[in-house]
Amino acid sequence: MPEAQPPSPLRLDLLGPVAVEHADLRIVELPLRSPFTTSFGTQTVRRALLVECHGDGATGVGECAAGIEPAYSAETVTTARDVLRHHLLPGVLGQPAATVADQLQRVAWVRGHNMARAALEMALLDLAGRISGVSLGAVLGAASDRVGCGVSIGIQPSLDATYALIDGYLAAGYRRIKLKCRPGYDVELARGVRTRFPDALVMLDANSAYRLEDLPVLHQLDAFDLMMLEQPLAHDDLVDHAAVQAQLRTPICLDESVESVADARAAIQLRAGRIVNIKAGRVGGLIPAVAVHDVCRAAGWPVWCGGMLETGVGRAANVALAALPNFTLPGDTSASDRYFEADILTEPFQLQPGGTLAVPTGPGLGVELDPARVAATTQHHERVG
Ligand code: SMG
Ligand code: MG
């Protein structure tokens, strides 16, 4: 007999009806404190699309995870803006619904565009939460009031520069170090870090930079007691990941390859890894993210919350999600000052002793935009509806 599985923690029933009278699409741009280099490129700014939904005298805001270039994902800030403007927002504007789920059902016919859809969902959940006086954490089923944080370190000009950053982040309290890697910047990196930081929780993220032919390199990486190896192979692959996982001691963590609950189920069935990095944007929203969490939990796969260099808006949602019971590993939920000199919130996320962030408890996302910071960083703004 299979063991009885715990019920999903999701509590959408805590939210009342929601109506969106009009919306704003806004693009803000925040310079990163330092360039962020991955196997697919370098980013120097976070350009973020914000969706603001207004109704019942309140405003809900959502942040789209998409970046400037279609490199991590097919979606970009501009594709998401177009899909929101022409397809998603017209499906909900001026059409009150009994629940957020009903509201989202109206645009369920839109295929793909997960990050655009997730931004709308976040705005609706924030709006409904503010109107009902319920925090997003409570709605998603948060099981703790703080979450353990890791930090993601981009590819650096030298190994010494990487070691210096690790030193600083460990001293600040971060619990886990993730290092971006790519072919040629991998084995010496892992060896050097292991030698200098023998007790640290260290993992690598390749962002799909390897192929099956690179198996000998992955075997070499297997010797360094890495906590996990994230997305070594193609963004749309599960079969080759399964072949590699069968040969490695190090757990593979899937990121790009899991865009839906169906993908998570397939990954589990194929044994394409042992861990999933959950990003709500990648899987089409926080509600689907909880569903992925539930599927992984039932299979005994731990999960953790990924990051897309979010401003405080997306970070608030990430932190609420990361408080769910099967988020047992520290996530890429770093403090605002890891990314920006100044965030767009009245109160930025600050790392607490022990390397944690506090889960917001106020209604909705539980954070407030700083109007002056929003004005200073806005590059584009349009009213819809
Ligand atoms: O938000 O701290 C963050 C960044 C975490 O490494 C991170 N994200 O593949 O997991 C990943 C990358 C994707 C973002 S690349 C801009
Ligand atoms: Mg990743």
Side-chain angles (χ1 to χ4, degrees), residues 352-381:
Q352 308 293 316
T356 63
L357 289 187
V359 181
T361 53
L365 289 171
V367 292
E368 303 305 325
L369 288 170
D370 177 340
R373 283 294 298 150
V374 172
T377 54
T378 294
Q379 290 212 324
H380 168 92
H381 172 232

Side-chain angles (χ1 to χ4, degrees), residues 136-192:
L136 180 66
V139 171
L140 298 180
S144 57
D145 58 4
R146 38 196 69 239
V147 301
C149 301
V151 62
S152 174
I153 299 179
I155 293 168
Q156 300 299 316
S158 71
L159 293 181
D160 282 337
T162 304
Y163 306 147
L165 283 172
I166 296 174
D167 256 331
Y169 287 132
L170 290 177
Y174 284 106
R175 295 184 179 187
R176 181 229 63 189
I177 301 293
K178 163 163 140 180
L179 301 165
K180 293 290 187 180
C181 69
R182 65 179 167 215
Y185 184 88
D186 41 29
V187 177
E188 288 319 308
L189 171 73
R191 193 193 317 280

Side-chain angles (χ1 to χ4, degrees), residues 231-361:
Q231 196 70 35
L233 306 179
H235 68 97
D236 54 357
D237 167 79
L238 291 175
V239 171
D240 288 352
H241 277 97
V244 169
Q245 181 65 91
Q247 300 206 37
L248 295 186
R249 203 166 53 93
T250 308
I252 287 178
C253 170
L254 295 171
D255 175 357
E256 286 90 328
S257 289
V258 176
E259 294 192 338
S260 64
V261 176
D263 288 345
R265 292 179 54 227
I268 289 163
Q269 204 158 354
L270 288 168
R271 299 177 205 258
R274 293 186 201 135
I275 299 170
V276 175
N277 162 344
I278 298 185
K279 293 174 181 162
R282 201 189 62 228
V283 301
L286 292 154
I287 300 170
V290 176
V292 172
H293 160 275
D294 296 346
V295 162
C296 290
R297 188 187 197 190
W301 282 32
V303 302
W304 51 277
C305 185
M308 294 296 289
L309 308 171
E310 286 91 347
T311 75
V313 173
R315 193 160 308 285
N318 286 348
V319 169
L321 180 66
L324 267 65
N326 194 42
F327 282 79
T328 54
L329 302 168
D332 285 342
T333 47
S334 313
S336 299
D337 69 359
R338 143 78 184 86
Y339 310 92
F340 315 113
E341 293 291 343
D343 206 325
I344 53 172
L345 302 181
T346 52
E347 286 176 42
F349 280 91
Q350 282 183 315
L351 199 68
Q352 308 293 316
T356 63
L357 289 187
V359 181
T361 53

